[in-house]
mmCIF file of all heavy atoms in Angstrom:
data_model
loop_
_atom_site.group_PDB
_atom_site.id
_atom_site.type_symbol
_atom_site.label_atom_id
_atom_site.label_comp_id
_atom_site.label_asym_id
_atom_site.label_seq_id
_atom_site.Cartn_x
_atom_site.Cartn_y
_atom_site.Cartn_z
ATOM 1 N N PHE A 1 106.619 88.616 98.959
ATOM 2 C CA PHE A 1 106.763 87.843 100.190
ATOM 3 C C PHE A 1 105.509 88.033 101.041
ATOM 4 O O PHE A 1 105.119 89.164 101.328
ATOM 5 C CB PHE A 1 107.997 88.296 100.959
ATOM 6 C CG PHE A 1 108.259 87.517 102.214
ATOM 7 C CD1 PHE A 1 108.852 86.267 102.156
ATOM 8 C CD2 PHE A 1 107.910 88.032 103.444
ATOM 9 C CE1 PHE A 1 109.091 85.543 103.318
ATOM 10 C CE2 PHE A 1 108.134 87.327 104.608
ATOM 11 C CZ PHE A 1 108.736 86.069 104.544
ATOM 12 N N LEU A 2 104.886 86.930 101.422
ATOM 13 C CA LEU A 2 103.662 87.024 102.217
ATOM 14 C C LEU A 2 103.992 87.260 103.684
ATOM 15 O O LEU A 2 104.771 86.515 104.287
ATOM 16 C CB LEU A 2 102.833 85.752 102.088
ATOM 17 C CG LEU A 2 102.086 85.506 100.776
ATOM 18 C CD1 LEU A 2 101.122 84.339 100.933
ATOM 19 C CD2 LEU A 2 101.331 86.739 100.319
ATOM 20 N N ILE A 3 103.379 88.300 104.252
ATOM 21 C CA ILE A 3 103.502 88.535 105.676
ATOM 22 C C ILE A 3 102.541 87.600 106.413
ATOM 23 O O ILE A 3 101.741 86.896 105.795
ATOM 24 C CB ILE A 3 103.194 89.997 106.025
ATOM 25 C CG1 ILE A 3 101.755 90.355 105.628
ATOM 26 C CG2 ILE A 3 104.186 90.929 105.340
ATOM 27 C CD1 ILE A 3 101.327 91.753 106.047
ATOM 28 N N ALA A 4 102.627 87.583 107.726
ATOM 29 C CA ALA A 4 101.758 86.698 108.512
ATOM 30 C C ALA A 4 100.294 87.032 108.258
ATOM 31 O O ALA A 4 99.887 88.198 108.272
ATOM 32 C CB ALA A 4 102.076 86.836 109.999
ATOM 33 N N GLY A 5 99.489 86.007 107.975
ATOM 34 C CA GLY A 5 98.082 86.197 107.689
ATOM 35 C C GLY A 5 97.379 84.847 107.587
ATOM 36 O O GLY A 5 97.983 83.797 107.837
ATOM 37 N N PRO A 6 96.123 84.841 107.213
ATOM 38 C CA PRO A 6 95.346 83.597 107.145
ATOM 39 C C PRO A 6 95.959 82.530 106.239
ATOM 40 O O PRO A 6 95.790 81.332 106.504
ATOM 41 C CB PRO A 6 93.993 84.060 106.601
ATOM 42 C CG PRO A 6 93.872 85.489 107.041
ATOM 43 C CD PRO A 6 95.268 86.032 106.959
ATOM 44 N N VAL A 7 96.640 82.940 105.186
ATOM 45 C CA VAL A 7 97.272 81.957 104.297
ATOM 46 C C VAL A 7 98.521 81.375 104.934
ATOM 47 O O VAL A 7 98.688 80.151 105.007
ATOM 48 C CB VAL A 7 97.608 82.586 102.931
ATOM 49 C CG1 VAL A 7 98.438 81.627 102.077
ATOM 50 C CG2 VAL A 7 96.331 82.954 102.192
ATOM 51 N N THR A 8 99.405 82.234 105.397
ATOM 52 C CA THR A 8 100.667 81.740 105.953
ATOM 53 C C THR A 8 100.454 80.958 107.247
ATOM 54 O O THR A 8 101.270 80.091 107.592
ATOM 55 C CB THR A 8 101.643 82.902 106.229
ATOM 56 O OG1 THR A 8 101.065 83.781 107.207
ATOM 57 C CG2 THR A 8 101.905 83.677 104.953
ATOM 58 N N HIS A 9 99.365 81.236 107.953
ATOM 59 C CA HIS A 9 99.105 80.533 109.208
ATOM 60 C C HIS A 9 98.776 79.056 109.005
ATOM 61 O O HIS A 9 98.732 78.285 109.972
ATOM 62 C CB HIS A 9 97.973 81.219 109.977
ATOM 63 C CG HIS A 9 98.366 82.533 110.574
ATOM 64 N ND1 HIS A 9 97.459 83.496 110.985
ATOM 65 C CD2 HIS A 9 99.591 83.067 110.807
ATOM 66 C CE1 HIS A 9 98.107 84.540 111.456
ATOM 67 N NE2 HIS A 9 99.390 84.306 111.354
ATOM 68 N N LEU A 10 98.571 78.654 107.761
ATOM 69 C CA LEU A 10 98.343 77.242 107.461
ATOM 70 C C LEU A 10 99.649 76.456 107.419
ATOM 71 O O LEU A 10 99.627 75.228 107.325
ATOM 72 C CB LEU A 10 97.628 77.089 106.113
ATOM 73 C CG LEU A 10 96.233 77.724 106.022
ATOM 74 C CD1 LEU A 10 95.715 77.643 104.590
ATOM 75 C CD2 LEU A 10 95.274 77.032 106.981
ATOM 76 N N LEU A 11 100.768 77.150 107.523
ATOM 77 C CA LEU A 11 102.086 76.531 107.427
ATOM 78 C C LEU A 11 102.865 76.760 108.718
ATOM 79 O O LEU A 11 102.462 77.571 109.564
ATOM 80 C CB LEU A 11 102.848 77.144 106.250
ATOM 81 C CG LEU A 11 102.220 76.918 104.867
ATOM 82 C CD1 LEU A 11 102.834 77.858 103.843
ATOM 83 C CD2 LEU A 11 102.393 75.461 104.440
ATOM 84 N N PRO A 12 103.989 76.047 108.917
ATOM 85 C CA PRO A 12 104.817 76.307 110.096
ATOM 86 C C PRO A 12 105.193 77.782 110.192
ATOM 87 O O PRO A 12 105.328 78.476 109.181
ATOM 88 C CB PRO A 12 106.046 75.426 109.844
ATOM 89 C CG PRO A 12 105.547 74.312 108.977
ATOM 90 C CD PRO A 12 104.511 74.931 108.096
ATOM 91 N N SER A 13 105.375 78.272 111.387
ATOM 92 C CA SER A 13 105.585 79.703 111.613
ATOM 93 C C SER A 13 106.841 80.233 110.936
ATOM 94 O O SER A 13 106.941 81.442 110.657
ATOM 95 C CB SER A 13 105.653 79.999 113.114
ATOM 96 O OG SER A 13 106.713 79.270 113.724
ATOM 97 N N ASP A 14 107.816 79.360 110.671
ATOM 98 C CA ASP A 14 109.044 79.830 110.035
ATOM 99 C C ASP A 14 109.039 79.612 108.527
ATOM 100 O O ASP A 14 110.075 79.767 107.864
ATOM 101 C CB ASP A 14 110.265 79.144 110.655
ATOM 102 C CG ASP A 14 110.267 77.637 110.436
ATOM 103 O OD1 ASP A 14 109.224 77.077 110.014
ATOM 104 O OD2 ASP A 14 111.319 77.008 110.681
ATOM 105 N N ALA A 15 107.890 79.270 107.976
ATOM 106 C CA ALA A 15 107.809 79.037 106.528
ATOM 107 C C ALA A 15 108.041 80.328 105.751
ATOM 108 O O ALA A 15 107.627 81.414 106.164
ATOM 109 C CB ALA A 15 106.462 78.437 106.162
ATOM 110 N N GLU A 16 108.693 80.202 104.623
ATOM 111 C CA GLU A 16 108.947 81.314 103.709
ATOM 112 C C GLU A 16 107.976 81.152 102.542
ATOM 113 O O GLU A 16 108.053 80.178 101.797
ATOM 114 C CB GLU A 16 110.399 81.235 103.235
ATOM 115 C CG GLU A 16 110.893 82.374 102.405
ATOM 116 C CD GLU A 16 112.362 82.188 102.042
ATOM 117 O OE1 GLU A 16 113.163 81.835 102.939
ATOM 118 O OE2 GLU A 16 112.711 82.381 100.870
ATOM 119 N N VAL A 17 107.045 82.081 102.389
ATOM 120 C CA VAL A 17 105.992 81.931 101.379
ATOM 121 C C VAL A 17 106.069 83.092 100.380
ATOM 122 O O VAL A 17 105.979 84.258 100.761
ATOM 123 C CB VAL A 17 104.587 81.892 102.017
ATOM 124 C CG1 VAL A 17 103.535 81.560 100.955
ATOM 125 C CG2 VAL A 17 104.532 80.866 103.147
ATOM 126 N N TRP A 18 106.221 82.729 99.101
ATOM 127 C CA TRP A 18 106.326 83.710 98.031
ATOM 128 C C TRP A 18 105.160 83.558 97.058
ATOM 129 O O TRP A 18 104.682 82.451 96.818
ATOM 130 C CB TRP A 18 107.628 83.512 97.248
ATOM 131 C CG TRP A 18 108.868 83.751 98.053
ATOM 132 C CD1 TRP A 18 109.581 82.839 98.767
ATOM 133 C CD2 TRP A 18 109.538 85.005 98.238
ATOM 134 N NE1 TRP A 18 110.661 83.423 99.379
ATOM 135 C CE2 TRP A 18 110.657 84.756 99.067
ATOM 136 C CE3 TRP A 18 109.306 86.295 97.774
ATOM 137 C CZ2 TRP A 18 111.544 85.773 99.443
ATOM 138 C CZ3 TRP A 18 110.184 87.300 98.142
ATOM 139 C CH2 TRP A 18 111.289 87.034 98.974
ATOM 140 N N VAL A 19 104.734 84.678 96.481
ATOM 141 C CA VAL A 19 103.700 84.669 95.446
ATOM 142 C C VAL A 19 104.254 85.383 94.221
ATOM 143 O O VAL A 19 104.825 86.475 94.334
ATOM 144 C CB VAL A 19 102.424 85.390 95.919
ATOM 145 C CG1 VAL A 19 101.401 85.453 94.790
ATOM 146 C CG2 VAL A 19 101.827 84.680 97.112
ATOM 147 N N ASP A 20 104.102 84.749 93.053
ATOM 148 C CA ASP A 20 104.544 85.391 91.816
ATOM 149 C C ASP A 20 103.557 85.065 90.707
ATOM 150 O O ASP A 20 103.203 83.913 90.495
ATOM 151 C CB ASP A 20 105.943 84.917 91.422
ATOM 152 C CG ASP A 20 106.498 85.731 90.262
ATOM 153 O OD1 ASP A 20 107.041 86.822 90.525
ATOM 154 O OD2 ASP A 20 106.363 85.302 89.104
ATOM 155 N N GLY A 21 103.117 86.102 90.002
ATOM 156 C CA GLY A 21 102.123 85.923 88.954
ATOM 157 C C GLY A 21 102.696 85.574 87.600
ATOM 158 O O GLY A 21 101.961 85.501 86.617
ATOM 159 N N GLY A 22 104.006 85.336 87.514
ATOM 160 C CA GLY A 22 104.643 85.032 86.239
ATOM 161 C C GLY A 22 104.058 83.795 85.584
ATOM 162 O O GLY A 22 103.719 82.827 86.260
ATOM 163 N N HIS A 23 103.986 83.817 84.230
ATOM 164 C CA HIS A 23 103.318 82.718 83.549
ATOM 165 C C HIS A 23 103.940 82.387 82.194
ATOM 166 O O HIS A 23 103.345 81.677 81.396
ATOM 167 C CB HIS A 23 101.839 83.065 83.337
ATOM 168 C CG HIS A 23 101.642 84.429 82.734
ATOM 169 N ND1 HIS A 23 101.277 85.515 83.502
ATOM 170 C CD2 HIS A 23 101.812 84.897 81.486
ATOM 171 C CE1 HIS A 23 101.200 86.583 82.724
ATOM 172 N NE2 HIS A 23 101.517 86.236 81.494
ATOM 173 N N ASN A 24 105.141 82.909 81.905
ATOM 174 C CA ASN A 24 105.786 82.584 80.637
ATOM 175 C C ASN A 24 107.244 82.209 80.886
ATOM 176 O O ASN A 24 107.717 82.187 82.030
ATOM 177 C CB ASN A 24 105.660 83.742 79.644
ATOM 178 C CG ASN A 24 106.179 85.064 80.199
ATOM 179 O OD1 ASN A 24 107.126 85.097 80.983
ATOM 180 N ND2 ASN A 24 105.552 86.169 79.825
ATOM 181 N N VAL A 25 107.962 81.885 79.809
ATOM 182 C CA VAL A 25 109.332 81.392 79.938
ATOM 183 C C VAL A 25 110.226 82.415 80.635
ATOM 184 O O VAL A 25 111.031 82.063 81.509
ATOM 185 C CB VAL A 25 109.899 81.031 78.551
ATOM 186 C CG1 VAL A 25 111.378 80.686 78.654
ATOM 187 C CG2 VAL A 25 109.127 79.852 77.954
ATOM 188 N N SER A 26 110.109 83.669 80.262
ATOM 189 C CA SER A 26 110.943 84.704 80.884
ATOM 190 C C SER A 26 110.711 84.767 82.389
ATOM 191 O O SER A 26 111.653 84.918 83.176
ATOM 192 C CB SER A 26 110.653 86.064 80.245
ATOM 193 O OG SER A 26 110.977 86.064 78.876
#
């Protein structure tokens, strides 16, 4: 879960932003 920062500030303040490096079916 991304905390407030330069990336999340590009979106509305209540946006929920997730990062996941997964790259296969599982």
